[in-house]
């Protein structure tokens, strides 16, 4: 038997799924965390069932990727029971989708989730009355604490066995007549869609279904168009509008009848936004929160990274000594170790604390507030508020930054945000800026490099967005209520995301590192330097800088470590002039993101976009470094 | 008048949503339709989004969107006050 979880974004579907399936779906206090579906086997009362978690969807109209995915799934797979998760604290909104699901001729059980939240808001919900009016089973649920989960699946099982179909809502007479007229033109069902729901979706002009029906029944489109014309004439709006507005009204009416709004307990959560979204204090709080966030990660990370890298260095020295008779093998081992160490030095010290902190901010519900505060600024770069998240993350590590662009709806926004986020100097590039510029030329120069970076990102954003005009008018964002996250979900989520890095990016890091060690063995440093010569010559950098730049693609801080080797100096001021230091640092800050980030870009956007972004960063790095060189020439 | 001109704290009723690009459908799909009542909670500075309370939840709409929403000020509807 197959159960399918359907609900609106941020209603707790994935939380429920994870409660019974172990951690497989990504959750967050942010609308639209799941975009594809996830399946798992669950055991209820000794029987094994399939449980499918579909992406959050407000309706089944198919106007965005998540909705299309949901409708396509229901269309092409048979579902024995739909478990409709509804946020009890926003009943009227959630019931709109419920009414649409009741039309599908599939048994539906309504899970009223977040009952604790509803109670906190002073709502008393008459469950039996709702059951009566919907004509289907309704079960209370607090998925985050696992309350009511067992009862829900027992109910779903009963429904699946009895196969009791719900009764769909009745619409105005003209619409009902139209539905019947379409049914009479249909030749039975298509795939898993019964004639009645099919007729409703055709009337709503669902493109996917219309093109399918056209294939076997070419007259259907003109017929629906003529019916629609009549509806538009009588009602002033087309059928899809009338249907959704009637569902909207029915849902509001239902909610009014079953919800008793009592005294609302005003708590700290209601007061919090008065500060956190305040036109002045909101920004102060934002800076303090982000500063603390990075401070914690940075101090945790650096205190872990040092001993870890020392350990790997010792191991490397030890192994090299053992293998000193086999120089090729020694070189290979060094390369492998460097790749492994790279992963360990990024994941454990920085990425994990980072993901934990991010998961916490996300589950609390703070990220949408950041999006709200930063919307106006982001518009100047052709993006909207939600795109601030990848930028913030970028200062820690570009890998999670690129991952987080998933929350943006439009592909164009995801591309632009990813491209810009890879220009943000991550913690590894911070090491270069601090180790070279701040150390030899003073912290003020380092600060200027950061400001210059922001300027370049803003200009790049403007240029790209002029080339890729915005097709969305702007931000539509649900502001979730603040929630106290559970430690379990925060840890599970961090692990879930870290695993993506381990599986996707780390192997590439190790392979790249081995290849470079082979090049090193065959003494190809000269060739590499020659290869990079056009760039180093153009920027007026020493010829030997080529190798550090290539190694920097592996891990950005390697470019600094290798620079010492390549120039054969212990004090950089002996090998580089102040102008060269600035030029080199600016170039390192912008050019090709590290391999791990490239792997993530490929995963999120595909190979072509990954390559264009990589090429773009080299171009930007050349321009920015030339510009910086000119400015530095004036000063020094 | 459009949504941008409403002061914080005021109740409004949505009259119409103009503009192409399927904005009306997008808003309709998240349950925001003409005829709905809402309260303007606050507006972000520097031309930032408008925060609305609509049937118990909070929704932020960017300026570009808020400008396309025609509303009228009203007294709080009774079943919500």
């Amino acid at each position: 038997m197959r159960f399918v979880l359907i609900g609106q974004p941020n209603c707790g579907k994935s939380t429920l799924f994870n409660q019974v399936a172990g951690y497989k779906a990504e959750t967050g206090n942010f609308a639209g965390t799941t975009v594809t579906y996830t399946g798992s086997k669950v055991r209820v009362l000794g029987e094994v069932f399939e449980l499918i978690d579909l992406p959050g969807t407000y309706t089944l109209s198919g106007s965005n990727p998540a909705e299309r995915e949901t409708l396509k799934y229901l269309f092409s797979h048979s579902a024995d029971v739909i478990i409709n998760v509804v946020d009890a604290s926003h009943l009227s909104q959630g019931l709109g989708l419920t009414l649409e699901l009741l039309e599908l001729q599939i048994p539906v059980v309504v899970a009223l989730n977040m009952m604790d939240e509803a109670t906190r808001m002073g709502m008393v919900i008459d469950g039996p009355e709702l059951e009566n009016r919907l004509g289907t089973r309704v079960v209370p649920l607090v998925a985050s604490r696992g309350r009511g989960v067992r009862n829900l699946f027992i109910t779903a099982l009963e429904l699946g066995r009895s196969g009791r179909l719900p009764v769909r809502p009745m619409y105005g007479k003209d619409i009902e007549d139209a539905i019947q007229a379409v049914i009479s033109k249909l030749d039975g069902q298509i795939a898993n869609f019964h004639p009645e729901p099919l007729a409703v979706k055709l009337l709503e002009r669902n493109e996917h279904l219309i093109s399918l029906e056209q294939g076997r029944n070419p007259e259907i489109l003109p017929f629906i168009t003529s019916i629609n014309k009549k509806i538009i004439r009588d009602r002033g709006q087309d059928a899809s509008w009338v249907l959704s507005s009637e569902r909207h009204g029915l849902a509001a009416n239902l909610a009014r009848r079953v919800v008793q709004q009592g005294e609302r307990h005003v708590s700290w959560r209601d007061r919090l936004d008065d500060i956190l979204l305040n036109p002045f204090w909101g920004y102060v709080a934002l800076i303090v929160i982000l500063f603390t966030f990075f401070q914690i990660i940075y101090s945790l990370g650096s205190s872990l990274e040092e001993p870890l890298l020392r350990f790997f260095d010792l191991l490397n020295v030890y192994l090299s000594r053992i293998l000193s008779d086999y120089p090729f093998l020694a070189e290979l081992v060094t390369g492998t170790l460097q790749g492994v160490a790279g992963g360990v030095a990024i994941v454990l010290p920085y990425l994990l604390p980072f993901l934990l902190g991010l998961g916490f901010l996300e589950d609390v519900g703070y990220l949408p507030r950041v999006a709200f505060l930063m919307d106006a600024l982001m518009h100047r770069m052709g993006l909207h508020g939600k795109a601030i998240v990848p930028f913030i993350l970028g200062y820690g590590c570009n890998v999670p930054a690129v991952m987080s662009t998933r929350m943006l709806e439009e592909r164009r926004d995801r591309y632009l945000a990813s491209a810009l986020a890879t220009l943000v100097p991550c913690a590894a590039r911070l090491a270069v800026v601090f180790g070279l510029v701040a150390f030899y030329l003073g912290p003020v120069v380092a600060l200027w490099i950061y400001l210059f970076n922001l300027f370049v990102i803003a200009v790049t954003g403007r240029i790209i967005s002029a080339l890729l005009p915005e097709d969305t008018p702007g931000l539509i964002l649900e502001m979730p209520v603040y929630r106290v996250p559970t430690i379990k979900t925060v840890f599970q989520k961090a692990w879930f995301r870290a695993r993506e890095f381990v599986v996707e990016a780390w192997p590439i890091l190790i392979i790249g590192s081995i290849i470079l060690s082979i090049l090193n063995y065959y003494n190809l440093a000269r060739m590499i330097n020659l290869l990079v010569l056009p760039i180093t010559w153009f920027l007026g950098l020493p010829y030997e800088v080529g190798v550090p730049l290539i190694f920097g693609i592996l891990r950005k801080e390697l470019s600094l470590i290798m620079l010492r080797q390549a120039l054969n100096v212990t004090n950089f001021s002996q090998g580089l002039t102040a102008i060269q230091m600035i030029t080199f640092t600016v170039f390192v800050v912008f050019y090709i993101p590290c391999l791990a980030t490239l792997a993530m870009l490929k995963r999120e956007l595909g190979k072509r976009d990954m390559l264009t972004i990589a090429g773009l960063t080299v171009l930007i790095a050349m321009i920015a470094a030339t510009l910086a060189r000119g400015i530095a020439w004036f000063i020094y | 008048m459009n949504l941008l001109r409403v002061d914080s704290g005021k109740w409004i009723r949505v009259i119409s949503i103009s503009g192409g690009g399927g904005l009306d459908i997008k808003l309709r799909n998240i349950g925001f339709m003409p005829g709905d009542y809402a309260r303007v909670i606050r507006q972000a500075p520097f031309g930032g989004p408008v925060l609305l309370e609509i049937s118990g939840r909070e929704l932020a709409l960017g300026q570009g969107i808020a400008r396309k929403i025609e509303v009228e000020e009203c007294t709080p509807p009774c079943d919500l006050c």
Side-chain angles (χ1 to χ4, degrees):
Chain A
M1 208 178 278
R2 184 183 284 146
F3 300 156
V4 179
L5 288 175
I6 300 182
Q8 297 188 333
N10 210 22
C11 71
K13 261 182 338 315
S14 298
T15 310
L16 171 64
F17 182 79
N18 290 330
Q19 278 284 350
V20 290
Y23 209 82
K24 287 195 179 130
E26 200 169 345
T27 63
N29 195 0
F30 208 123
T33 328
T34 317
V35 182
T36 51
Y37 68 84
T38 329
S40 176
K41 301 261 184 257
V42 284
R43 185 180 287 276
V44 187
L45 297 177
E47 277 189 63
V48 178
F49 301 91
E50 200 179 348
L51 182 66
I52 306 290
D53 180 32
L54 289 177
T57 171
Y58 287 105
T59 70
L60 297 179
S61 69
S63 60
N64 70 41
E67 291 172 10
R68 273 194 290 278
E69 183 77 34
T70 302
L71 196 68
K72 216 169 82 194
Y73 185 90
L74 287 173
F75 180 76
S76 52
H77 299 70
S78 66
D80 295 293
V81 180
I82 290 175
I83 297 178
N84 173 213
V85 183
V86 176
D87 175 356
S89 59
H90 298 126
L91 200 55
S92 133
Q93 181 203 350
L95 287 176
L97 178 63
T98 307
L99 293 174
E100 220 176 331
L101 293 172
L102 295 180
E103 291 167 2
L104 296 178
Q105 307 256 16
I106 300 170
V108 176
V109 50
V110 177
L112 280 185
N113 194 21
M114 307 194 191
M115 287 298 283
D116 51 343
E117 200 66 44
T119 310
R120 189 185 71 83
M121 288 167 74
M123 294 170 156
V124 182
I125 299 172
D126 188 344
E129 178 65 15
L130 186 60
E131 252 181 5
N132 261 338
R133 290 184 178 268
L134 287 177
T136 194
R137 298 294 305 271
V138 175
V139 219
L141 183 71
V142 183
S144 59
R145 317 244 168 245
R147 286 211 293 270
V149 175
R150 199 180 136 77
N151 184 26
L152 171 66
F153 282 99
I154 292 174
T155 311
L157 186 57
E158 281 170 15
L159 261 178
R161 285 200 180 129
S162 70
R164 203 181 97 201
L165 293 179
V167 187
R168 75 167 171 88
M170 293 301 271
Y171 300 108
K173 189 173 178 311
D174 53 339
I175 298 291
E176 288 296 334
D177 290 345
I179 293 172
Q180 291 310 320
V182 176
I183 291 176
S184 69
K185 288 276 173 196
L186 291 178
D187 190 19
Q189 66 182 76
I190 314 184
N192 293 296
F193 263 52
H194 287 263
E196 204 174 65
L198 188 58
V200 176
K201 291 291 166 248
L202 288 174
L203 263 182
E204 286 177 358
R205 308 185 74 93
N206 182 284
E207 283 171 25
H208 180 59
L209 292 177
I210 283 190
S211 68
L212 276 173
E213 182 64 28
Q214 271 295 97
R216 63 170 194 184
N217 190 357
E219 292 110 69
I220 200 73
L221 188 58
F223 182 68
I224 285 169
T225 313
S226 76
I227 289 191
N228 237 322
K229 270 200 188 118
K230 187 172 172 302
I231 294 174
I232 294 172
R233 202 171 53 231
D234 298 345
R235 297 265 200 141
Q237 298 282 8
D238 69 352
S240 83
W241 184 274
V242 175
L243 275 163
S244 67
S245 115
E246 291 206 0
R247 282 189 203 114
H248 189 70
L250 280 170
N253 203 11
L254 257 174
R256 234 185 332 263
R257 286 177 196 271
V258 300
V259 179
Q260 253 193 359
Q261 183 65 54
E263 189 74 29
R264 187 183 166 144
H265 307 286
V266 177
S267 66
W268 58 271
R269 299 199 250 193
D270 302 291
R271 292 266 153 260
L272 209 50
D273 270 345
D274 289 340
I275 300 165
L276 293 185
L277 293 185
N278 182 283
F280 176 73
W281 292 110
Y283 291 94
V284 174
L286 178 71
I287 291 167
V288 170
I289 289 170
L290 290 184
F291 184 77
T292 318
F293 180 66
F294 281 110
Q295 196 58 42
I296 292 172
I297 290 157
Y298 195 71
S299 56
L300 249 173
S302 50
S303 68
L304 277 173
E305 187 183 8
E306 246 173 88
L308 278 171
L309 286 181
R310 211 164 34 231
F311 165 76
F312 276 101
D313 274 347
L314 283 176
L315 193 63
N316 192 16
V317 169
Y318 173 72
L319 287 175
S320 304
R321 197 183 306 141
I322 291 179
L323 297 170
S324 57
D325 292 339
Y326 313 95
F328 182 70
L329 202 59
E331 199 66 55
L332 275 188
V333 168
T334 305
T336 315
L337 264 183
Q338 229 165 33
V340 173
V344 173
I346 296 171
V347 176
L348 292 178
Y350 294 103
L351 198 60
L352 267 186
F354 195 79
L355 292 176
L356 281 173
L358 173 70
F360 177 80
L361 284 183
E362 200 176 4
D363 280 6
V364 163
Y366 187 61
L367 290 188
R369 269 80 188 175
V370 180
F372 178 82
L373 290 170
M374 299 305 286
D375 184 57
L377 193 73
M378 298 304 288
H379 264 290
R380 287 171 213 277
M381 288 193 254
L383 286 165
H384 59 67
K386 280 190 216 174
I388 188 68
V389 177
F391 281 77
I392 299 171
L393 301 191
Y395 281 99
C397 175
N398 288 177
V399 174
V402 174
M403 268 190 230
S404 72
T405 58
R406 244 176 259 176
M407 68 176 70
L408 303 171
E409 306 89 354
E410 307 291 332
R411 197 188 145 74
R412 172 240 177 229
D413 291 0
R414 284 198 295 273
Y415 177 83
L416 181 52
S418 302
L420 296 182
T422 54
L423 298 178
V424 172
C426 61
R429 282 175 263 186
L430 178 102
V432 181
V433 176
F434 274 68
L436 201 58
V437 170
F439 191 76
Y440 289 100
L441 305 175
V444 179
V445 186
L447 184 68
W448 276 107
I449 287 195
Y450 269 77
L451 292 176
F452 181 64
N453 172 267
L454 280 178
F455 169 75
V456 172
I457 290 174
V459 172
T460 311
R462 290 210 86 135
I463 293 172
I464 300 183
S465 61
L467 296 174
L468 300 170
E470 225 173 328
D471 44 7
T472 47
L475 180 78
I476 303 178
L477 178 67
E478 272 228 60
M479 207 59 82
V481 290
Y482 290 105
R483 290 183 191 138
V484 181
T486 59
I487 295 171
K488 191 176 148 202
T489 52
V490 170
F491 268 88
Q492 279 175 331
K493 179 157 43 185
W495 166 238
F496 183 76
R497 289 177 178 166
R499 204 173 54 191
E500 277 184 60
F501 173 84
V502 172
V503 176
E504 302 279 331
W506 204 352
I508 294 173
L509 206 65
I510 295 173
I511 293 168
S513 185
I514 293 174
I515 292 173
L516 276 181
S517 72
I518 294 173
L519 290 182
N520 213 23
Y521 175 77
Y522 288 110
N523 214 356
L524 296 176
R526 270 167 55 121
M527 246 183 70
I528 296 175
N529 281 336
L530 215 60
L531 209 70
V532 191
L533 188 63
I535 293 175
T536 45
W537 173 80
F538 184 80
L539 296 175
L541 292 171
Y543 167 76
E544 298 84 356
V545 168
V547 172
L549 285 182
I550 291 293
F551 270 84
I553 299 175
L554 270 187
R555 238 167 71 209
K556 287 282 178 166
E557 74 269 28
L558 267 187
S559 57
L560 189 67
I561 299 166
M562 302 289 295
L563 188 64
R564 196 162 269 145
Q565 257 179 46
L567 293 174
N568 206 10
V569 292
T570 42
N571 185 333
F572 285 124
S573 59
Q574 289 164 351
L576 293 172
T577 64
I579 299 174
Q580 283 175 328
M581 281 185 197
I582 290 175
T583 316
F584 177 80
T585 307
V586 169
F587 189 79
V588 166
V589 164
F590 288 107
Y591 88 114
I592 306 186
C594 70
L595 262 185
T597 308
L598 284 178
M600 206 39 85
L601 281 173
K602 177 166 175 272
R603 185 200 152 104
E604 293 300 320
L605 298 167
K607 199 165 149 198
R608 220 193 72 205
D609 285 347
M610 181 264 278
L611 289 176
T612 59
I613 290 179
L616 191 73
T617 57
V618 175
L619 183 72
I620 294 168
M622 293 290 278
I623 297 171
T626 310
L627 213 69
R629 187 182 168 199
I631 298 170
W633 183 79
F634 259 107
I635 297 169
Y636 291 97
Chain B
M1 69 184 157
N2 72 43
L3 185 53
L4 282 181
R5 292 168 178 258
V6 183
D7 295 329
S8 298
K10 289 277 194 328
W11 278 91
I12 50 129
R13 206 174 74 93
V14 182
I15 299 172
S16 66
I17 297 162
S18 64
L23 177 61
D24 53 346
I25 295 174
K26 219 174 236 171
L27 287 172
R28 182 180 87 197
N29 288 347
I30 62 166
F32 184 92
M33 300 186 85
D36 282 347
Y37 290 93
R39 189 172 66 92
V40 177
I41 303 177
R42 69 180 86 239
Q43 197 179 345
F46 321 118
V50 180
L51 190 63
L52 293 177
E53 183 191 325
I54 173 159
S55 55
R57 65 198 172 113
E58 290 180 14
L59 197 64
L61 298 175
Q63 288 243 323
I65 290 175
R67 195 172 294 121
K68 291 180 179 144
I69 299 174
E70 211 33 48
V71 298
E72 59 181 11
E73 266 183 43
C74 66
T75 49
C78 246
D79 53 316
L80 289 172
C81 53

